[in-house]
Amino acid sequence: TVVTDLFPEPTVISSANPIGSTSLSERYACVSTRDYTTTFAMSKALEFCESLGGDDAIYTYVHELAIMAKSHLMTLWEVQAMAPDSLEDFMINIGLPISSIDVGKSLQK
């Protein structure tokens, strides 16, 4: 929030709700609900995805990267996998390198 001489003002406002032309309550009622950026960027985002080979190529790349990271961390930390590679897509599940059960319990708090 930006504070002016008289009122605090929202830091992001709707394009249909400019500062100074509406009441204070109206300026906070629709904060950033009319942001057209995503609409304008969508076609370029889709073109970019296609330039990388499409959804299947992106999925394969990210999945292989996650599995490589899993293997690297398991070796580095000397821990076990919590799930087989076939059950993981972009997020991996491995144990944490804790020194004792007490340390593990303290992490749960």
Side-chain angles (χ1 to χ4, degrees), residues 20-55:
S21 66
T22 55
S23 72
L24 177 66
S25 62
E26 289 174 326
R27 288 195 296 276
Y28 279 95
C30 297
V31 174
S32 98
T33 57
R34 291 194 181 169
D35 182 358
Y36 305 107
T37 307
T38 55
T39 304
F40 295 140
M42 182 56 81
S43 63
K44 290 295 182 185
L46 292 173
E47 286 177 22
F48 176 72
C49 288
E50 285 304 313
S51 76
L52 297 175
D55 290 343

Side-chain angles (χ1 to χ4, degrees), residues 4-17:
T4 63
D5 292 339
L6 301 174
F7 300 108
E9 298 287 350
T11 55
V12 178
I13 60 170
S14 166
S15 61
N17 219 3

Side-chain angles (χ1 to χ4, degrees), residues 2-108:
V2 177
V3 179
T4 63
D5 292 339
L6 301 174
F7 300 108
E9 298 287 350
T11 55
V12 178
I13 60 170
S14 166
S15 61
N17 219 3
I19 293 175
S21 66
T22 55
S23 72
L24 177 66
S25 62
E26 289 174 326
R27 288 195 296 276
Y28 279 95
C30 297
V31 174
S32 98
T33 57
R34 291 194 181 169
D35 182 358
Y36 305 107
T37 307
T38 55
T39 304
F40 295 140
M42 182 56 81
S43 63
K44 290 295 182 185
L46 292 173
E47 286 177 22
F48 176 72
C49 288
E50 285 304 313
S51 76
L52 297 175
D55 290 343
D56 289 339
I58 294 169
Y59 172 87
T60 299
Y61 172 78
V62 175
H63 175 71
E64 289 175 358
L65 188 62
I67 298 303
M68 288 187 328
K70 175 183 179 178
S71 176
H72 175 73
L73 291 174
M74 286 172 49
T75 301
L76 182 68
W77 292 344
E78 299 177 354
V79 296
Q80 299 296 316
M82 297 174 69
D85 293 351
S86 61
L87 293 180
E88 298 181 316
D89 287 326
F90 303 151
M91 295 177 60
I92 60 170
N93 296 287
I94 59 174
L96 292 175
I98 56 175
S99 57
S100 71
I101 193 70
D102 293 331
V103 173
K105 287 181 179 180
S106 71
L107 292 173
Q108 293 176 344

